[in-house]
Amino acid sequence: MGTEGENVRVIAGRYRLEERIGRGGMGVVWRAADQLLGRQVAVKELVLDASLSAEEARLQRERTLREARAVAQLRHPHIIVVHDVVEHDERPYIVMELIDGGSLAERIGTNGPVDAREAARIGIALLGALRRAHGAGVLHRDLKPANVLMEAGTDRVVLTDFGIAQVAGATTLTESGSFVGSPEYTAPERMSGDRTGPASDLWSLGALLCAALSGESPFRRDSLGGILHAVVVDEIRPPAQAQPILPVVRGLLERDPDRRLDAAEAERLLREFLETGRTPRVPVPYTPTERDVPRRAVPPPPLPPVREVPEAATPPATDVPRNAKQSARGVLVAAALVAAMAGAGVSAAALLMHDGGSGGNTPASSGPPHMSVSAGPSHPSSQGPSPAPTVTVTRSPASVSASASAADHKAPSGYRQVRDPDGFTLAVPDGFTRSPQGERIFYLSPGQTFRIGIKMADPEPGGPIGVMRAADADGPSTNPGYHDGQVTETSHGGNPAALWEFSWNGYTAAEGPRHTYDLCWEQGGRMYDVWVSAPVGKIREAKEYFDVAVDTFVPA
């Protein structure tokens, strides 16, 4: 097929292939000489499916050349320059600029992971490249460290290998019905066979940033099945090294493409980090309507908004309020994961996340619309809730007196009165299960969408209001994306109490923005904390659960 021997060939009468410099699933890359213009270039020789008929092969070549030419129209400093697209001996070739320097994957393999500032710089460059490509209707679909070149001497970041790129409205380049791409960097919607778009490339960028910072993708597993399960179902755990730009990584690794961080916002946040050196704050994607936000409990006893106990400041963990005086420690809670894979497609059940209650010494809880709640966030623990026995809660009066008995606070319809082994009773919704986590007790809804937390501890200096104010002050460090925190001094059953309410971004991109109600109070020489955490879109339900929990809580 060549004109000058097995290893040295001239294609299209112009490009002399001199040395193989790379090989991938889509073909071989050669260092070549452009004999017409006297310059060095890179030539990618695309391999076609040998099982195709002659007619199918012809159609595939035409499609490949057509789409490669569309990619060649892209002009951006961080996108590889495509000089020419030719066909030789019925095989397509793409002629590109030759970048003197290895790939990001090679750099990581040789020198180890990069720091956050360098990762942000690389991310900004790639976001610019993707915005240009997406604006032209071109999807990359195989963004990974091996397809990012780092030019020697300039450190220019260059996105290359649009070998399986897809042009809007066209059939996937060189695709014959089988899966194309690198599973560890492939968005869940592609894994599941759903329609994909620009957001899928942004997911890949999130995985790439994790790999650049830690040395490997967060979805790396020992088998293909394990990788697919990790991408579609498993809890997403960004590496600790991603902390400085965690809001960006989490935003990009949002399983729901409609809620995924977009390119413009991701670039803005990364630039903010480079300019200030501080972790950027991401605005909550969901803006609650006035009816959704329970400012001052809806019903009678208008309790001031309650803020959920600060959760572990570490990546993916359950919502667990943290002690204002303790440093945030990583909280990790196993969630029920279910995934089904059939053939090349994969479908998975929703990822279950966890909520935590108050941290330190007080338990946090949420209750119906107007009840007081114990503060939990001020005393975080390093552990999160895990599934346990099922329980139901009953709704009762807005306040509970210190001498009240469990019998005085019956569970409302849809709840069940629970006598907890730790020596207290309360009403929890039907179907909720108990999950003890150290000194905290959690009652979790199926899927852990709603998390009720309880904590009992010795009183602390400053009382409930001091504990909750300290927790509020530590909110940004314990709860990712913490905002709208409010602490109100109140009373509960005639005892001093404090109500804390706040919103935050959740521990993982998968679980999304959450809202927390937390009541802390002193009673009989003990401090109690009861809280409820839930998605921002389910605030009304969360408030009811919170009020019921607080109204029906009776210590031993």
Side-chain angles (χ1 to χ4, degrees), residues 98 140 244:
L98 180 65
H140 189 282

Side-chain angles (χ1 to χ4, degrees), residues 358-376:
S358 68
N361 309 320
T362 48
S365 105
S366 76
H370 58 277
M371 316 194 60
S372 60
V373 194
S374 77

Side-chain angles (χ1 to χ4, degrees), residues 1 8 44 55 103 206 224 245 287 294 376 402 417 507:
M1 113 184 211
V8 179
K44 183 163 188 177
E55 178 60 15
S103 68
L224 176 59
I245 57 171
T287 304
Q417 197 77 23
Y507 277 121

Side-chain angles (χ1 to χ4, degrees), residues 145 285 294 327 437 443 546:
S327 60
Q437 297 294 324
Y443 283 93
F546 173 72

